[in-house]
């Protein structure tokens, strides 16, 4: 640069205006800061008045502790706060605010009036916009902050504001989030002098349904779990209440609404087994962690936090939510309405498909298991024999004995090497062979790994395969993890790995592809998260490799064994990718197709 300008310190107002860029994006961000201040001040009721979507005017009136006359000007000074005074206090902060930046930033980009009265004062004091000298005013105990003409002085920012209705919508979102977090505080909201929201002080659960409505009442499952220094409470919704958009997901960490990848991922993976990949669950969850175990000062607007032990948080959240959902799956599937099976298995409303059917045939479960094992040991043979005339004969054996009360029925045939066609008590089922087996293997892997009883099978002849240096390094770095998954892999050269043992359950698939898949997952997952966050992703990869492939000819015996295994597998309705694994048509459905009896 030719025209070098001298370095100078920026004027204070400009510093605040720049800082405002980080925290104050739109009226809703102003509102968030003001309402949080009211809550920090111990307010029991907060009134919010908006004009023109908050662009023209935002006023927040609280009945909290108020501000002393001689501190009013300080409240508007950058980095002045009553909430912390040392680093130690920051590390265990309980208030929403602590940076002492919000009011100064807002005042720098608007016209801010501050009126406040403490319990010892005879009357309120007021700071008019642009003054630092308080004048006597009338007003009740508490504080009123009025913010007018946001960004009028910062046209660059003003331009980015949307239509009033949109800004109003953002304001309501911001208020809802705080209202959810502070159910003991009452809120009233006015827009252009019309009352638009009112929530009375109440319990956390009642506040959730007050704010978010019926959906959480009807489809909600209460979550309430405590574990050492961590607790999770709130409401998750059944998978059927899932939405196309992630607009009903509220996570609060120590009362603060945040977006957090660890927790989101934990919740996602808890739903992964029961929810189609592109559907979004709805939930309101409050995570309480010891303040010293979480850093809230990682984002100027505090939208993010950082956990000291994110692995532990992830485990706790995932387990808690999984249990909540599993509890419901058990009870809900019993309902004959089929109301909660709209994801994939909606057609299965017949009573033959409810778990009671599993229970009544429980006595015969031992023979199923025997069949199952035998059949899958036979798999290799079946494959090689697939085209023999004998195999075809078995496939098309006529079926004259009555179908037993197996929910998934008796296998009739394999269709296009992909589907199993089965006759059930009440109709016809079509089963995606690979998806179904994948689900079975996946659940078996999960169980075995949880019980630390993943049986290993040594390979008679090790499989040696070429890898990149990176893959080799991964195999060495993750050796203990790889072993805990049932593998034994060792370097046999600068670019070669020998696979000496694999999980017995998966010993028949394409082992090289399996090993590569595991390495690839490990690379993406990273050591710290393995066996916690992403364990199920990895198991899904393994299950996918271990499951029967399409175009593999199965015998009827194998098909039936698979059906029996599915019936015994939790959540066999969906494959690991959330797709349905089977569909069912009642005879009446079929009759309709053919216009019979009409
Ligand atoms: N509604 C309020 N009631 C009482 N005191 C308030 C209120 N709003 C702000 N204050 C005081 O002004 C200070 C500065 O507020 P702010 O700029 O939001 O920073 P922070 O909340 O991070 O401390 C607060 O620490 C608090 O002492
Ligand atoms: Mg504040």
């Amino acid at each position: 640069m030719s025209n070098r300008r001298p370095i100078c310190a920026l004027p204070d107002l400009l510093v605040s205006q720049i800082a405002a860029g980080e925290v104050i994006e739109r009226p809703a961000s102003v509102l968030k800061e003001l309402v949080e201040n009211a809550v920090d001040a111990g307010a029991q009721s907060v009134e919010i008045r908006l004009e023109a979507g908050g662009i023209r005017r935002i006023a927040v009136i609280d009945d909290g502790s108020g501000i002393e006359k001689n501190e009013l000007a300080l409240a508007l000074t950058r980095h002045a706060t009553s909430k912390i005074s040392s680093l130690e206090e920051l590390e265990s902060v309980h208030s929403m605010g602590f940076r002492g930046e919000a009011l100064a930033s807002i005042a720098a980009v608007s016209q801010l009036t501050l009126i406040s009265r403490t319990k010892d004062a005879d009357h309120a004091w007021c700071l008019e916009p642009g003054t630092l000298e308080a004048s006597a005013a009338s007003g009740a105990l508490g504080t009123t902050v009025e913010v007018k003409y946001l960004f009028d002085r910062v046209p660059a920012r003003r331009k980015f504001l949307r239509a009033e209705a949109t800004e109003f919508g953002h304001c309501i979102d911001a208020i809802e989030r705080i209202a959810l977090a502070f159910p003991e505080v009452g809120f009233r909201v006015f827009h252009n002098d019309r009352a638009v929201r009112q929530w009375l002080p109440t319990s956390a659960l009642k506040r959730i349904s007050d704010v978010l409505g019926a959906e959480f009442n009807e489809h909600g499952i209460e979550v309430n779990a405590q574990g050492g220094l961590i607790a999770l409470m709130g409401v998750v919704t059944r998978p059927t209440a899932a939405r196309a958009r992630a607009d009903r997901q509220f996570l609060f960490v120590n009362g603060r609404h945040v977006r957090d990848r660890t927790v989101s991922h934990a919740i996602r993976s808890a739903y992964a087994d029961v929810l189609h990949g592109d559907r979004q669950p709805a939930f309101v969850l409050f995570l309480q962690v010891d303040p010293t175990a979480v850093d809230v000062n990682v984002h100027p607007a505090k939208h993010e936090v950082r956990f000291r032990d994110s692995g532990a948080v992830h485990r706790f959240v995932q387990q808690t939510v999984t249990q909540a959902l599993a509890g419901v799956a058990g009870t809900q599937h019993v309902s004959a309405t089929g109301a909660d099976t709209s994801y994939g298995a909606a057609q299965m409303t017949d009573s033959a498909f409810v778990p009671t059917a599993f229970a009544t045939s429980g006595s015969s479960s031992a023979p199923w298991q025997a069949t199952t094992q035998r059949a899958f040991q036979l798999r290799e043979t079946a494959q090689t024999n697939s085209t023999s005339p004998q195999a075809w004969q078995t496939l098309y054996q006529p079926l004259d004995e009555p179908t037993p009360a197996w929910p998934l029925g008796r296998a009739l045939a394999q269709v296009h090497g992909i589907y199993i066609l089965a006759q059930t008590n009440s109709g016809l089922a079509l089963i995606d062979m690979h998806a179904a087996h994948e689900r079975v293997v996946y659940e078996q892997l999960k169980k075995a790994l949880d019980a630390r009883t993943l049986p290993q099978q040594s390979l008679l002849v090790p499989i040696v395969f070429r890898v990149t240096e990176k893959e080799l390094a991964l195999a060495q770095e993750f050796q203990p993890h790889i072993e805990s998954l049932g593998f034994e892999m060792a370097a046999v050269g600068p670019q070669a790995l020998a696979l000496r043992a694999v999980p017995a359950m998966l010993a028949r698939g394409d082992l090289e592809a399996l090993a590569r898949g595991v390495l690839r997952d490990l690379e993406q997952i990273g050591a710290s998260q393995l066996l916690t966050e992403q364990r199920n992703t990895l198991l899904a990869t393994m299950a996918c490799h271990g499951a029967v492939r399409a175009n593999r000819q199965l015998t009827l015996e194998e098909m039936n064994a698979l059906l029996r295994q599915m019936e015994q597998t939790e959540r066999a309705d969906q494959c690991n990718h959330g797709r349905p694994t089977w569909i069912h048509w009642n005879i009446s459905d079929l009759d309709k197709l053919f216009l019979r009896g009409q």
Side-chain angles (χ1 to χ4, degrees):
M1 263 224 300
S2 51
N3 294 338
R4 189 183 175 279
R5 287 167 51 172
I7 300 173
C8 11
L10 296 173
D12 220 46
L13 177 64
L14 183 52
V15 173
S16 288
Q17 285 168 336
I18 292 172
E22 292 181 329
V23 204
I24 307 303
E25 193 189 347
R26 56 183 0 138
S29 11
V30 171
L31 196 51
K32 166 184 180 286
E33 296 294 338
L34 299 186
V35 179
E36 284 185 353
N37 279 345
V39 170
D40 279 347
Q44 291 180 326
S45 106
V46 179
E47 183 178 311
I48 295 149
R49 295 192 158 266
L50 305 170
E51 279 173 34
I55 301 170
R56 196 180 321 138
R57 176 174 184 253
I58 299 171
V60 174
I61 302 137
D62 71 51
D63 59 358
S65 59
I67 306 171
E68 300 275 350
K69 178 197 172 198
N70 58 5
E71 288 181 9
L72 282 173
L74 265 180
L76 299 184
T77 308
R78 220 155 24 90
H79 306 312
T81 178
S82 58
K83 298 173 191 173
I84 58 166
S85 59
S86 68
L87 186 62
E88 288 78 59
E89 282 182 358
L90 173 60
E91 287 180 349
S92 60
V93 68
H94 287 281
S95 54
M96 304 298 285
F98 55 77
R99 297 168 63 100
E101 247 174 6
L103 288 186
S105 298
I106 297 167
V109 293
S110 71
Q111 297 205 20
L112 187 147
T113 307
L114 182 58
I115 305 169
S116 197
R117 175 173 172 184
T118 60
K119 67 176 188 332
D120 300 325
D122 300 334
H123 56 79
W125 291 94
C126 170
L127 272 192
E128 299 282 351
T131 63
L132 291 175
E133 201 55 48
S135 52
S138 71
L141 177 69
T143 304
T144 295
V145 184
E146 181 185 56
V147 173
K148 286 166 97 172
Y149 314 121
L150 183 65
F151 295 142
D152 264 13
R153 279 192 271 167
V154 197
R157 287 250 139 189
R158 183 78 176 71
K159 274 201 306 240
F160 282 97
L161 293 185
R162 304 267 153 248
E164 285 174 12
T166 311
E167 295 302 337
F168 173 65
H170 286 292
C171 287
I172 290 293
D173 287 348
I175 301 167
E176 282 183 353
R177 291 195 278 261
I178 300 176
L180 287 169
F182 297 94
E184 68 281 4
V185 179
F187 293 90
R188 283 192 300 162
V189 188
F190 298 82
H191 188 215
N192 300 334
D193 288 326
R194 264 190 48 232
V196 288
R197 293 287 189 286
Q198 169 156 19
W199 301 302
L200 299 174
T202 181
S203 70
L205 289 183
K206 177 71 169 40
R207 178 60 64 85
I208 293 174
S209 65
D210 284 353
V211 173
L212 297 173
E215 168 188 355
F216 276 81
N217 268 340
E218 286 162 27
H219 304 284
I221 307 159
E222 191 183 334
V223 174
N224 201 342
Q226 172 101 38
L229 296 176
I230 184 168
L232 187 69
M233 61 91 58
V235 176
V236 296
T237 52
R238 302 201 170 91
T240 28
R243 311 160 65 85
R245 289 174 46 212
D247 58 347
R248 290 269 160 156
Q249 304 186 341
F250 298 88
L251 170 68
F252 299 86
V253 175
N254 293 351
R256 212 180 283 285
H257 178 269
V258 296
R259 295 174 212 295
D260 180 74
R261 287 183 53 207
T262 301
V263 177
S264 300
H265 185 277
I267 297 169
R268 279 251 100 198
S269 29
Y271 272 94
D273 289 348
V274 291
L275 194 63
H276 189 282
D278 53 15
R279 301 288 291 166
Q280 297 288 345
F283 58 81
V284 180
L285 287 171
F286 301 95
L287 186 69
Q288 290 300 131
V289 278
D290 189 284
T292 57
V294 55
D295 186 355
V296 290
N297 187 29
V298 287
H299 187 287
K302 312 186 196 82
H303 291 314
E304 290 167 23
V305 293
R306 195 176 292 137
F307 298 108
R308 296 272 148 82
D309 185 354
S310 61
V313 171
H314 190 283
R315 261 193 312 281
F316 179 75
V317 172
Q318 187 183 351
Q319 274 169 15
T320 306
V321 176
T322 303
Q323 276 160 15
L325 292 172
V328 159
T331 47
Q332 281 307 302
H333 279 279
V334 185
S335 88
T337 63
D340 74 324
T341 47
S342 66
Y343 47 98
Q347 299 87 341
M348 306 169 198
T349 50
D350 191 271
S351 62
F353 291 89
V354 304
T356 43
F358 292 69
T360 47
S361 42
S363 55
S364 54
S365 67
W368 291 0
Q369 251 155 3
T371 329
T372 302
Q373 279 169 10
R374 195 150 44 91
F376 278 95
Q377 277 155 14
L378 285 173
R379 259 172 37 191
E380 294 308 297
T381 344
Q383 189 181 26
T384 46
N385 287 348
S386 58
T387 46
S388 75
Q390 204 192 343
W392 285 105
Q393 228 164 32
T394 355
L395 272 174
Y396 292 102
Q397 230 170 31
L399 217 145
D400 39 19
E401 74 261 56
T403 316
W406 292 332
L408 289 178
R410 170 183 292 279
L412 299 176
Q414 198 175 358
V415 182
H416 286 289
I418 300 172
Y419 300 104
I420 296 171
L421 184 67
Q423 178 175 329
T424 68
N425 249 356
S426 57
L428 202 62
L430 204 54
I431 297 103
D432 180 332
M433 183 178 97
H434 172 72
H437 191 221
E438 189 179 339
R439 158 60 56 187
V440 168
V441 174
Y442 173 68
E443 292 294 340
Q444 282 174 346
L445 278 171
K446 260 194 345 196
K447 262 207 197 104
L449 210 62
D450 284 341
R452 303 194 182 283
T453 55
L454 200 65
Q456 208 183 37
Q457 181 167 324
S458 299
L459 302 177
L460 215 50
V461 183
I463 298 175
V464 176
F465 56 104
R466 274 185 76 79
V467 290
T468 62
E469 284 91 345
K470 195 158 154 213
E471 285 169 320
L472 192 86
L474 280 169
Q476 289 172 332
E477 182 187 344
F478 291 108
Q479 188 165 358
H481 302 102
I482 291 174
E483 276 169 18
S484 72
L485 291 168
F487 293 91
E488 208 185 302
M489 271 184 226
V492 289
Q495 285 198 347
L497 274 177
L499 188 58
R500 299 217 164 87
V502 294
M505 240 173 261
L506 308 175
R508 284 181 200 84
D510 178 348
L511 298 180
E512 181 182 329
L514 172 67
R516 285 185 191 281
V518 168
L519 286 178
R520 201 167 29 241
D521 272 2
L522 285 173
E523 180 181 3
Q524 279 166 14
I525 291 166
S528 62
Q529 301 179 346
L530 181 68
L531 302 183
T532 58
E533 303 199 8
Q534 306 262 8
R535 191 192 75 160
N536 290 354
T537 314
L538 201 134
L539 293 185
T541 299
M542 290 167 64
C544 186
H545 282 288
V548 286
R549 298 267 137 206
N551 293 322
R552 164 85 152 278
Q553 203 76 58
L554 299 185
T555 65
L556 272 183
E557 199 184 16
E558 287 178 308
M559 289 187 245
N560 276 312
L562 177 57
L563 299 188
R564 302 293 81 80
Q565 274 191 323
M566 278 181 67
E567 285 157 354
Q568 292 183 319
T569 301
E570 217 186 319
R571 295 184 285 246
D573 296 355
Q574 288 126 55
C575 82
N576 305 325
H577 309 302
R579 299 192 316 255
T581 51
W582 53 286
I583 321 176
H584 183 260
W585 295 274
N586 286 325
I587 286 290
S588 60
D589 296 334
L590 298 174
D591 286 349
K592 266 188 223 130
L593 287 177
F594 293 98
L595 309 175
R596 274 180 72 119
Q598 299 207 342

